[in-house]
Amino acid sequence: MVRLPALVVALLSIVLLAGPAASDGPLEIEPLPVGTHADYQLGGVRPVPASVGIVVRDRRAEPAGRYDVCYVNAFQTQPGERRFWRERRHLVLREGGRPVTDEAWGEWLLDLRTPAKRRALARVVGRWVDRCAKDGYEAVEYDNLDSFTRSRGLLRRRQALAYARLVVAEAHEAGLAAAQKNLAGYDGTKVGFDFAVAEECGRYRECGAYAAAYGRRVVAVEYRKQDFRRACRHWGVRLPVVLRDLAVSPTGVRRFC
């Protein structure tokens, strides 16, 4: 019987108990596919046509089994989550003691003004993103990068971009690609965004601004038929363009170029 020195035995025991060594490298991030249709299903899930390779759904929904993008409202609150944010009222932007609201959607703006608040918000978002990754999503869409433009001058662009860098890092740490949403003309790759979701870029002539930063990795969503036709005519060969009803409901309008 071969007897090993006591030190060797101790070292071997530590290795065996520790199990396989964990990889220190970053998680592999799958890029947004090109040359396929995209569907936008924020208001509820519905069957996905075979021609659709990209599906965006709310973070509480199950992924569709395609290239799945998890919607996260990272810069404003969801209308149904006010109780959650009342418990974190110090992270909601206020003026005169009242939340500053995006009146179009009834959403409160988040307070990005200090590094401490940005870090705290990024931790909240990071937990949501981790859940997206565990559920099987490949990417995350961060809505309302441009919330500072609706802040009555309380927020600054530089604060929004500093916070964007933090939440993009959260996505990448979870192994997810991150999508820029809003603020056309800003090259989000500077803070790490991997692709863009462009609402009504046909209507506002902004598709080219997003394509300049992301090439073919732009999902274009239109809500009016005339804008959809224009986007298809000018961008349908290069980008996935989908027409949806404004409520993005499960039974609403859905057309592809």
Side-chain angles (χ1 to χ4, degrees):
M1 177 177 181
V2 178
R3 296 184 179 275
L4 297 175
L7 179 59
V8 174
V9 172
L11 290 172
L12 285 172
S13 298
I14 292 171
V15 170
L16 290 172
L17 288 172
S23 173
D24 294 326
L27 295 175
E28 185 176 353
I29 294 170
E30 185 177 350
L32 186 83
V34 299
T36 184
H37 290 311
D39 199 358
Y40 207 56
Q41 298 192 0
L42 301 190
V45 303
R46 69 195 298 178
V48 181
S51 62
V52 171
I54 302 165
V55 179
V56 184
R57 286 181 173 173
D58 184 80
R59 64 184 177 86
R60 292 185 177 87
E62 290 294 322
R66 309 298 169 88
Y67 185 94
D68 292 298
V69 182
C70 186
Y71 171 90
V72 172
N73 198 347
F75 293 78
Q76 299 181 182
T77 69
Q78 290 291 84
E81 295 180 346
R82 289 196 170 182
R83 180 177 179 181
F84 176 89
W85 288 108
R86 284 191 183 101
E87 295 172 355
R88 296 159 180 82
R89 60 180 65 245
H90 64 291
L91 299 177
V92 175
L93 186 67
R94 292 176 180 271
E95 184 179 46
R98 298 176 64 85
V100 177
T101 304
D102 178 349
E103 298 295 346
W105 298 100
E107 299 175 357
W108 295 341
L109 274 63
L110 300 180
D111 192 347
L112 315 176
R113 289 177 293 182
T114 70
K117 289 187 176 185
R118 292 193 291 269
R119 288 193 297 269
L121 286 166
R123 286 193 293 271
V124 172
V125 169
R127 290 193 290 272
W128 296 341
V129 167
D130 287 344
R131 181 74 262 170
C132 293
K134 289 176 183 176
D135 286 344
Y137 283 90
E138 283 76 36
V140 60
E141 170 199 339
Y142 287 133
D143 201 4
N144 290 308
L145 176 59
D146 63 344
S147 70
F148 69 92
T149 66
R150 298 180 288 279
S151 70
R152 304 173 191 168
L154 296 175
L155 299 177
R156 299 287 182 265
R157 177 187 176 105
R158 59 178 174 76
Q159 295 163 345
L161 297 180
Y163 174 59
R165 190 180 295 276
L166 293 178
V167 293
V168 167
E170 292 285 349
H172 289 171
E173 187 175 339
L176 304 183
Q180 175 182 345
K181 178 79 169 293
N182 309 123
L183 204 60
Y186 174 70
D187 181 356
T189 64
K190 294 177 180 178
V191 294
F193 284 115
D194 305 289
F195 66 101
V197 175
E199 280 185 312
E200 299 191 286
C201 69
R203 178 177 182 178
Y204 296 108
R205 313 297 202 274
E206 294 173 341
C207 301
Y210 288 107
Y214 299 103
R216 297 183 66 188
R217 290 190 165 91
V218 178
V219 174
V221 185
E222 299 293 338
Y223 299 109
R224 304 192 313 177
K225 291 180 181 179
Q226 63 268 38
D227 305 321
F228 172 70
R229 288 192 293 266
R230 181 184 301 112
C232 287
R233 185 166 61 251
H234 293 289
W235 294 99
V237 173
R238 293 184 59 191
L239 307 179
V241 183
V242 59
L243 174 67
R244 290 303 327 267
D245 57 298
L246 194 57
V248 285
S249 61
T251 56
V253 175
R254 179 176 64 179
R255 290 176 54 193
F256 310 101
C257 290

